[in-house]
Amino acid sequence: MGIESFCSADASEPFWDWNLTWHTEDPDFTLCFQNTVLVWIPCIYLWLCFPVYSLYLRWHDRGYIQVSNLNKAKTALGLILWIVCWADLFYSFWERSQNIFRAPFFLISPTVLGITMLLATFLIQYERIKGVQSSGVMTIFWFISLLCATVIFISKIKHALSLEDPFRYATFCIYFLLVLVELILCCFPEQPPLFSETVNDPNPCPEFSASFLSRITFWWITGLMIQGYRSPLEAKDLWSLNKEDKSEEIVPGLARNWAKEWSKTKRQPPNMLYAPKKQQKSGDSNGDVTEEVEALIIKPSQKSPEASLFKVLYKTFGPYFLMSFLFKAAHDLLMFAGPEILKLLLNFVNNKAAPNWQGYFYTVLLFVCACLQTLILHQYFHICFVTGMRLKTAIVGVIYRKALVITNSARKTSTVGEIVNLMSVDAQRFMDLATYINMIWSAPLQVILALYLLWRNLGPSVLAGVAVMILLVPINAVMAMKTKTYQVAQMKSKDNRIKLMNEILNGIKVLKLYAWELAFKEKVLEIRQKELKVLKKSAYLAAMATFTWVCAPFLVALSTFAVYVTIDENNILDAQKAFVSLALFNILRFPLNMLPMVISNIVEASVSLKRLRVFLSHEELDPDSIVRGPIKQAEGCIVVKNATFSWAKTDPPLLNSINFTVPEGSLVAVVGQVGCGKSSLLSALLGEMDKKEGYVVVKGSVAYVPQQAWVQNATLEDNIIFGREQSESRYKRVIEACALLPDIEILPSGDKTEIGEKGVNLSGGQKQRVSLARAVYCNADVYLLDDPLSAVDAHVGKHIFEKVIGPKGLLKNKTRVLVTHAINYLPQMDTILVMTDGEISEMGSYQELLEQDGAFAEFLRTYANAEQTMENSDTDSPSAKEGKPIENGGLVNEAPGKLIHRQLSNSSTYSRDTGKPQSSTADLQKPLAEKNSWKLTEADTAKTGRVKASVYWEYMKAIGLCMSFLAIFLFMCNHIASLSSNYWLSLWTDDPVINGTQQNTTLRLGVYGALGISQGIAVFGYSMVVSIGGIFASRHLHLNLLHNVLRSPMSFFERTPSGNLVNRFSKEIDTIDSTIPPIIKMFMGSTFNVIGACIIILLATPIAAVTIPPLGLVYFFVQRFYVATSRQLKRLESVSRSPVYSHFNETLLGVSVIRAFQEQKRFIHQNDIKVDENQKAYYPSIVANRWLAVRLEYVGNCIVLFAALFAVIARNKLSAGLVGLSVSYSLQITAYLNWLVRMSSELETNIVAVERVKEYSEMEKEAEWSIEQTAPGSSWPHEGKVEFRGYGLRYREDLDLVLKNINVTINGGEKIGIVGRTGAGKSSLTLGLFRINEAAEGEIIIDGVNIAKIGLHDLRFKITIIPQDPVLFSGSLRMNLDPFDRHSDEDIWRSLELAHLKNFVSSLPDKLNHECAEGGENLSVGQRQLVCLARALLRKSKILVLDEATAAVDLETDKLIQSTIKSQFEECTVLTIAHRLNTIMDYTRVLVLERGEVVECGTPDQLLQEKGIFYSMAKDSGLV
């Protein structure tokens, strides 16, 4: 009764009237309902939002927006609205005074509405102050207000003629107009806030300045899409990241939270002060990194509980992520609205008496629900993806920062590869998980809701269907487990294959010289065979999985309906029951399939979480172990008192009770036997070791030169300047002093030359000098030099000592600590520290130590003897290289010490480190412009534009055309069966009901089942065919690729970085193996699904034919737009991803250098920039996905709208069954459309792999390996006579001749030495002999056969070379000597004996089957060289080429090799490219090359008498 009296003064007006509103052709609401509920809805919405929204605004302050005309208009309108509402209120009071009593709501509603308008006006201003450019809350408020007002307005118009209340009518019209204007104004965004980043950003992200509508439909990215469609996007077109997505915003937050969590779990050790102590000295010890990593630096003690990384991640990213929770819940509820509305719609079609407008009402409702669902779902996905992206950024950043402070012992626990994996794989897993994690609660929720609705629909028979579903879950789970084990096995084979490929590509030169390609091709194919076997097994599994996935919904429906109609005769299967149930079953299928996947994802992520936690909990260097003070004239510059150091807390100490003081500006040498702790002493001074006790002070800044030079992948200049300010004059001085000028002249672009990773295009000596130059340039106070002279030649070493380190050098006023092996510099030192077994045994000047006659004198004797064994002890001679004694007194050499001139020729003409155009004299005079254009290698090009149809055709041919067409045919069968089964169902539901039962139920059920089973068979068939076809294709493509790459000429490998090639073999082949077949299956599946749905809709309502083509066109345009942009974004993203990893890799290798120079801040900043660059490409690609999905789902929603609309229009002609069929299909079409575009763009991005693999098969090839017709006899060459006739050679078409006009005849059995300065063409001669490069003019004839006419293998098998750098492959020692298994074990042992390796090999446990590591790492350089000698002895061919194999070998080995060659190859022709003249002084003849021509030729003695080039070279070497 209360509500009635509220509605009218005399309780005559009802609040609600069914007859007025529902059962009528002309629906309307009661006056009371209009003025209460419809007015209050917007008010309630705004007041509910207000508290939450105002809090949100307080936290997210974007700065202040100036008052604009737009803002003034909005505010003014808000105030007018308030006045209009209260005018109504005062009018009501006035009426009371006139004794006209109205219903109470006339007073209450205007009051409430007026206050709400005031609140709205307040919010408009508050948003402006907080910098909101376009507000969702307000837009929705005005929209709801307008909607409610429209309903009232329509009703007012209907009753306009009986105007009884003109004043209220007028105010309402004004109100309606004002709300409409407010809504329109709300659609325009405000200008950006003052002082915001976007102002000075050249290319800001338009997201925050876009209006609310633009943001929910992702309209703001359209500009980029159009640009990407017109021309392929480039990195400069991408927007900057939003401030909250940048590394410098995200990472410190996570680092802080982790630090807090970490300090909670540790009991604070009493001697540690937390944070404050850091703050005051942050200036010097660790740069300002300390603020950021505050507690990350504190030593962990025994941790009681584990620090929980999950908690930290949740704390950092939880709040933003919680929004997604709300969106997901809303979406799940809306999802079930579809089937429910469908039910009402079918009731309407069956009930012929219902008024028409109800049908249209349901149609609109269906459409609105679908649209809301779309918008909400994609907001949800957007939040998830952005969270995922931030997670990745944060994790990468935190790992990077941690890697800079972690102790060396902790670093040893995980390899560089593992740490990089944390960054790539594990961070990626979190990213993927972010999108799925909500499924953990959402999937069960969806299942429960669906089951509840099904139960309401069909009663207990639902349980049959559920039982089938539940049965399928464990089957799927088992298959998933199996697939995983297969994947692991496949990964293992793949890793082995890639490792082998890597070695093949790195040693390709040797393979070609030895003609071993075929043996290695077999090895690769053997591994590949195993891999394909596993692939086949997983293909069968995949076919099973597809079968269950596609047939599950059908089986469920079949079992449910069968049980339903057989339980009870009176259970009638009508359209409503059948199709609503089908719609619900379709909903059910998704969560049930997702759950196992989500769970496995979570398991993987938890493993990653643990690995990350372990890494982040590693102990860190204590920055306070070394006191770094400014320079004060105190006791000395470096003071160490009673210090004991070890590498890790748990290790025994390595350096015991060290005491010494270094006065400022003095030069101290540290000497001692190998392994006595010299380098460790420097590390200890740098704070890299763990200080057990004692006191260490290092005053001033420090520069450090490590023993193994660390070179960045940057220009030479950047490597030297290393982040300091530039000073041209100082730079010049440094380069000159470090003897880098000649090298810079030879480099293609001078000091702007880019240096490859790990410095591949520099020789060892050059790297060492660059490393030294970096230290000298940075102008520090204390220099710690770890044997910088070991890798350089003697005369360069002398130059550097005089110009840089020594008493007259650039550093003469600095404090220098030099670890060295070179005795000749010791007399010039101020102090010498002699170390033995981690202690300082003696200390003093050179003279003092000699007089003591202790360890130092012993050390000198060891070395002096070594020096005497060398041919001559003049320090200038290139042969007097520093040797390094091992404990047992034998002698091995440190890094190769070649003549400085030789170094380049070694790295350019010979080794296949990188594709360098060869340095000839012509190169040096290159104009500068050309110099600057030179790049290290060809970058891995990203293709642009659409994928050509020919690529698909190629792939189909690789599968086999019969298989391809069979697959397509089976697809057709499957979909025809599926359509007919559903059509049959609709016919069944239309069966007339006779006295409560349907006739011929069993027939209907039988046919339905039969159609379903045939569908299943077709699915299984096509799945098998596609999977097996995929394996055929990948076998075929890999074989081709491998064959073609091995057949490519050497120049190809020099131009192409091995990384690119390995990438083809790993990434692209993997894509072809395991990504393309499933994508093809899904692509075909969704194509046919869409076509099928359209056919059904057309069958039911032919008039829909009018709307489907235009929608199809829209769809097509959207799709093309998207694919063009998305493809390019994907490419940009993957191109920008590798720098992140390579930079990280580099940092890990050079972390001690970075710490010594205190460059952590700069490197962290660089890493942040690189991560941001990568995310810059990733962010638009997420948004592009959302953009596409929203557009497409709207196309799908329109199809739903039209299917329902036409069904309502033609409801008198249509049966309920057909309507149900067409609407339930149209409800699915959105998902299919989405899937189709996803798959077609996936297919396009992945099919590129086929294109890239094919690309290499069309490269130029070298000559045939063997030619039957011209193959020489098996005894050829019998004499070994080599003639060069007018021979000339060039490296590339566009380069000058490197060798010209060479006419030499070498008789069988002669020993020839070939000498000449760098770039004279010595190595080129051998390349010509082996036809690594074909002749440009003239010919080479061996024993009467022109070598250009025979097959390459025929030639290369008959000549033997001992190459300059000994290359071994991983595999048994036997395989390395004789890959084709042509020789018996006796032969091999004999050759090993002659090569002086017999004792060594016999001592190995596996003898000949000893496994060599990759690149022969587990043998010394000398032993490797001897293995190469053994190879040559085993082949025993008539012609032997020696490319000065002795450059990297100690004297002992050198002598062995020379004597073996003299005795064993007595009657063979030997050509030696000599760098040390003493080895060829007893040869028959010597050829002297100069600028590619033979200038002198004769016996060594003759040439010395002629006093020509040979004489001057001999003089340089001190042989004359």
Side-chain angles (χ1 to χ4, degrees), residues 91-106:
Y91 182 65
S92 295
F93 283 137
W94 179 78
E95 279 186 324
R96 293 217 149 190
S97 67
Q98 300 298 320
N99 282 339
I100 306 171
F101 286 101
R102 296 274 179 166
F105 65 74
F106 280 117

Side-chain angles (χ1 to χ4, degrees), residues 1247-1512:
I1247 204 86
V1248 171
V1250 178
E1251 182 177 36
R1252 294 176 69 164
V1253 167
K1254 294 296 291 179
E1255 178 181 41
Y1256 277 165
S1257 43
E1258 283 133 25
M1259 294 285 179
E1260 43 164 351
K1261 300 283 165 284
E1262 54 184 3
E1264 285 299 319
W1265 276 343
S1266 54
I1267 304 170
E1268 288 295 315
Q1269 300 79 15
T1270 59
S1274 57
S1275 62
W1276 176 88
H1278 37 273
E1279 184 188 353
K1281 178 178 178 190
V1282 183
E1283 297 180 63
F1284 289 89
R1285 297 184 181 168
Y1287 185 74
L1289 175 81
R1290 57 162 58 101
Y1291 281 115
R1292 284 212 310 260
E1293 295 303 310
D1294 49 348
L1295 294 178
D1296 299 347
L1297 289 174
V1298 195
L1299 294 176
K1300 36 192 178 290
N1301 194 18
I1302 294 201
N1303 290 299
V1304 179
T1305 302
I1306 297 166
N1307 299 316
E1310 275 198 295
K1311 309 282 178 281
I1312 302 284
I1314 303 172
V1315 296
R1317 307 238 177 233
T1318 302
K1322 305 188 294 289
S1323 301
S1324 314
L1325 208 53
T1326 53
L1327 296 182
L1329 191 56
F1330 281 90
R1331 284 178 60 199
I1332 294 289
N1333 289 62
E1334 299 288 351
E1337 53 189 48
E1339 55 194 11
I1340 301 178
I1341 290 176
I1342 299 180
D1343 282 2
V1345 177
N1346 179 352
I1347 63 168
K1349 300 274 185 286
I1350 58 177
L1352 289 179
H1353 281 186
D1354 299 334
L1355 166 69
R1356 292 172 186 168
F1357 268 125
K1358 303 290 185 176
I1359 322 178
T1360 308
I1361 184 166
I1362 300 182
Q1364 187 181 25
D1365 19 6
V1367 176
L1368 297 190
F1369 299 96
S1370 58
S1372 66
L1373 196 57
R1374 199 202 146 100
M1375 195 276 320
N1376 266 302
L1377 291 168
D1378 175 28
F1380 289 98
D1381 277 337
R1382 291 191 180 167
H1383 301 275
S1384 66
D1385 278 13
E1386 290 79 70
D1387 293 348
I1388 293 182
W1389 277 110
R1390 193 160 49 251
S1391 67
L1392 283 174
E1393 185 174 7
L1394 293 169
H1396 310 280
L1397 277 170
K1398 188 173 181 182
N1399 299 343
F1400 167 69
V1401 179
S1402 323
S1403 69
L1404 295 170
D1406 301 334
K1407 309 271 189 303
L1408 283 179
N1409 292 327
H1410 172 68
E1411 275 295 313
C1412 301
E1414 200 169 332
E1417 296 288 322
N1418 52 358
L1419 299 177
S1420 72
V1421 180
Q1423 286 165 335
R1424 277 183 253 169
Q1425 196 72 63
L1426 293 174
V1427 172
C1428 290
L1429 177 61
R1431 277 180 195 161
L1433 291 161
L1434 204 52
R1435 270 199 162 167
K1436 199 71 195 218
S1437 60
K1438 270 289 183 208
I1439 300 175
L1440 172 72
V1441 180
L1442 252 175
D1443 190 350
E1444 183 64 56
T1446 49
V1449 183
D1450 52 274
L1451 297 169
E1452 212 94 345
T1453 323
D1454 193 5
K1455 284 209 180 101
L1456 295 177
I1457 293 180
Q1458 291 297 342
S1459 63
T1460 308
I1461 288 172
K1462 283 200 182 76
S1463 60
Q1464 291 304 313
F1465 292 98
E1466 197 150 4
E1467 63 280 1
C1468 304
T1469 311
V1470 179
L1471 304 175
T1472 303
I1473 293 181
H1475 309 163
R1476 295 193 192 153
L1477 299 187
N1478 50 321
T1479 52
I1480 57 162
M1481 283 321 229
D1482 50 357
Y1483 276 27
T1484 344
R1485 277 194 292 166
V1486 175
L1487 294 182
V1488 184
L1489 289 175
E1490 181 67 37
R1491 304 204 166 186
E1493 299 178 70
V1494 179
V1495 283
E1496 300 176 17
C1497 178
T1499 63
D1501 296 339
Q1502 270 178 329
L1503 293 181
L1504 283 177
Q1505 253 114 53
E1506 284 178 15
K1507 303 251 168 148
I1509 293 181
F1510 184 69
Y1511 173 78
S1512 65

Side-chain angles (χ1 to χ4, degrees), residues 907-1051:
S907 73
S908 70
T909 327
Y910 214 89
S911 73
R912 81 143 304 292
D913 269 345
T914 50
K916 280 197 54 169
Q918 271 45 42
S919 295
S920 64
T921 39
D923 273 13
L924 297 179
Q925 290 116 34
K926 274 189 306 198
L928 240 168
E930 190 188 324
K931 271 198 173 188
N932 290 337
S933 66
W934 184 85
K935 282 291 276 172
L936 181 63
T937 41
E938 297 180 353
D940 202 349
T941 45
K943 285 263 194 293
T944 50
R946 286 190 64 172
V947 180
K948 294 187 204 63
S950 60
V951 178
Y952 294 101
W953 184 241
E954 282 293 345
Y955 188 69
M956 279 173 73
K957 280 201 300 209
I959 292 179
L961 293 179
C962 298
M963 300 258 311
S964 306
F965 289 117
L966 176 65
I968 293 173
F969 173 70
L970 284 167
F971 264 111
M972 303 274 292
C973 292
N974 162 40
H975 284 281
I976 289 168
S978 150
L979 289 180
S980 2
S981 67
N982 282 329
Y983 189 60
W984 183 261
L985 185 67
S986 85
L987 293 178
W988 179 2
T989 58
D990 288 337
D991 272 355
V993 180
I994 303 170
N995 17 330
T997 62
Q998 274 174 326
Q999 308 306 304
N1000 45 20
T1001 322
T1002 40
L1003 167 75
R1004 291 292 193 189
L1005 193 58
V1007 174
Y1008 186 59
L1011 282 170
I1013 287 164
S1014 56
Q1015 176 190 350
I1017 293 167
V1019 169
F1020 191 68
Y1022 81 67
S1023 198
M1024 287 301 299
V1025 171
V1026 171
S1027 300
I1028 300 299
I1031 289 176
F1032 284 167
S1034 66
R1035 170 183 289 143
H1036 174 77
L1037 290 167
H1038 176 260
L1039 191 63
N1040 266 357
L1041 175 68
L1042 181 64
H1043 184 70
N1044 287 318
V1045 165
L1046 289 177
R1047 283 275 326 270
S1048 298
M1050 212 42 230
S1051 57

Side-chain angles (χ1 to χ4, degrees), residues 753-795:
T753 306
E754 174 200 355
I755 293 172
E757 357 183 346
K758 299 187 189 155
V760 281
N761 47 336
L762 296 181
S763 68
Q766 288 169 323
K767 278 191 257 191
Q768 194 71 61
R769 296 202 299 280
V770 169
S771 178
L772 183 66
R774 172 194 303 148
V776 177
Y777 184 84
C778 96
N779 199 11
D781 303 316
V782 178
Y783 279 79
L784 304 176
L785 311 171
D786 196 347
D787 208 356
L789 303 176
S790 63
V792 297
D793 324 305
H795 66 282

Side-chain angles (χ1 to χ4, degrees), residues 813-921:
N813 303 324
K814 312 284 188 189
T815 312
R816 291 143 293 169
V817 178
L818 172 72
V819 170
T820 184
H821 288 136
I823 323 169
N824 38 353
Y825 306 131
L826 293 180
Q828 307 183 39
M829 301 291 170
D830 298 334
T831 321
I832 298 171
L833 301 181
V834 185
M835 296 198 68
T836 38
D837 301 332
E839 297 186 9
I840 297 182
S841 53
E842 298 176 273
M843 185 171 164
S845 67
Y846 187 73
Q847 288 307 321
E848 292 165 26
L849 293 179
L850 276 184
E851 285 151 19
Q852 288 178 15
D853 197 35
F856 179 65
E858 178 64 26
F859 171 77
L860 277 185
R861 269 179 229 121
T862 315
Y863 265 107
N865 295 345
E867 297 254 313
Q868 260 118 47
T869 48
M870 302 195 188
E871 263 73 2
N872 93 351
S873 52
D874 171 10
T875 44
D876 274 356
S877 102
S879 56
K881 302 191 315 311
E882 307 105 28
K884 258 188 143 178
I886 312 177
E887 272 72 302
N888 60 13
L891 192 80
V892 297
N893 249 39
E894 268 279 87
K898 298 156 197 135
L899 263 152
I900 171 160
H901 301 302
R902 175 70 198 134
Q903 272 153 357
L904 234 149
S905 129
N906 147 42
S907 73
S908 70
T909 327
Y910 214 89
S911 73
R912 81 143 304 292
D913 269 345
T914 50
K916 280 197 54 169
Q918 271 45 42
S919 295
S920 64
T921 39

Side-chain angles (χ1 to χ4, degrees), residues 386-684:
V386 171
T387 308
M389 175 177 99
R390 289 181 187 174
L391 256 178
K392 187 172 174 183
T393 302
I395 286 171
V396 171
V398 168
I399 292 174
Y400 189 86
R401 285 157 170 75
K402 178 75 180 184
L404 287 175
V405 292
I406 184 176
T407 62
N408 282 318
S409 58
R411 244 200 71 197
K412 293 285 180 300
T413 55
S414 33
T415 61
V416 173
E418 280 173 38
I419 301 179
V420 174
N421 257 350
L422 278 179
M423 216 168 197
S424 51
V425 182
D426 297 329
Q428 190 62 45
R429 276 189 188 155
F430 282 107
M431 208 158 156
D432 298 340
L433 188 66
T435 40
Y436 291 129
I437 189 103
N438 275 316
M439 286 307 288
I440 274 295
W441 58 266
S442 158
L445 175 76
Q446 288 179 26
V447 172
I448 291 165
L449 271 172
L451 288 181
Y452 166 70
L453 293 175
L454 277 166
W455 185 280
R456 264 185 37 197
N457 213 10
L458 295 176
S461 41
V462 168
L463 295 175
V466 175
V468 174
M469 281 194 170
I470 290 173
L471 271 177
L472 287 175
V473 168
I475 295 177
N476 277 346
V478 168
M479 286 202 283
M481 298 292 290
K482 269 264 176 282
T483 314
K484 211 161 196 69
T485 50
Y486 286 149
Q487 256 174 349
V488 171
Q490 186 199 339
M491 284 306 285
K492 217 165 124 188
S493 305
K494 184 179 149 191
D495 287 349
N496 288 337
R497 190 183 89 232
I498 298 307
K499 193 171 132 211
L500 184 62
M501 276 316 301
N502 221 342
E503 287 190 62
I504 289 177
L505 295 172
N506 286 336
I508 188 80
K509 182 127 197 188
V510 174
L511 286 190
K512 288 202 175 297
L513 292 172
Y514 287 132
W516 279 1
E517 296 104 331
L518 285 171
F520 278 85
K521 184 176 164 187
E522 281 314 306
K523 279 185 71 174
V524 175
L525 291 179
E526 202 179 309
I527 302 178
R528 179 74 177 150
Q529 206 44 48
K530 278 187 205 153
E531 204 179 341
L532 288 173
K533 228 175 173 167
V534 177
L535 264 177
K536 206 170 246 171
K537 282 184 192 162
S538 40
Y540 296 140
L541 262 184
M544 284 294 298
T546 310
F547 173 71
T548 52
W549 158 247
V550 174
C551 291
F554 179 80
L555 287 173
V556 171
L558 179 66
S559 53
T560 309
F561 294 152
V563 170
Y564 182 68
V565 294
T566 47
I567 289 178
D568 180 357
E569 294 226 306
N570 296 330
N571 279 348
I572 295 167
L573 192 65
D574 56 13
Q576 179 191 331
K577 286 195 169 59
F579 290 108
V580 172
S581 307
L582 271 185
L584 286 166
F585 282 135
N586 278 329
I587 287 181
L588 252 184
R589 159 182 167 181
F590 180 69
L592 282 178
N593 277 294
M594 281 299 285
L595 261 182
M597 188 168 133
V598 172
I599 289 168
S600 74
N601 257 344
I602 285 183
V603 171
E604 279 180 3
S606 66
V607 172
S608 296
L609 196 68
K610 184 161 167 254
R611 287 175 46 179
L612 264 176
R613 196 196 62 229
V614 168
F615 178 73
L616 290 179
S617 309
H618 277 324
E619 45 175 331
E620 300 176 0
L621 290 175
D622 174 14
D624 304 336
S625 65
I626 308 291
V627 181
R628 287 245 183 124
I631 296 196
K632 290 198 286 291
Q633 286 305 329
E635 48 231 300
C637 198
I638 301 176
V639 185
V640 183
K641 291 185 182 163
N642 295 329
T644 301
F645 294 96
S646 68
W647 277 116
K649 284 228 167 69
T650 49
D651 290 5
L654 251 178
L655 301 175
N656 284 315
S657 50
I658 305 275
N659 279 300
F660 67 93
T661 301
V662 179
E664 193 185 332
S666 67
L667 171 57
V668 179
V670 182
V671 295
Q673 304 287 24
V674 171
C676 64
K678 302 186 294 292
S679 300
S680 303
L681 181 66
L682 294 193
S683 298

Side-chain angles (χ1 to χ4, degrees), residues 715-717 731 743-755 928 931-932 934:
T715 63
L716 188 73
E717 185 179 22
Y731 179 65
D743 304 273
I744 287 177
E745 276 168 26
I746 298 175
L747 287 170
S749 322
D751 62 0
K752 298 282 186 286
T753 306
E754 174 200 355
I755 293 172
L928 240 168
K931 271 198 173 188
N932 290 337
W934 184 85

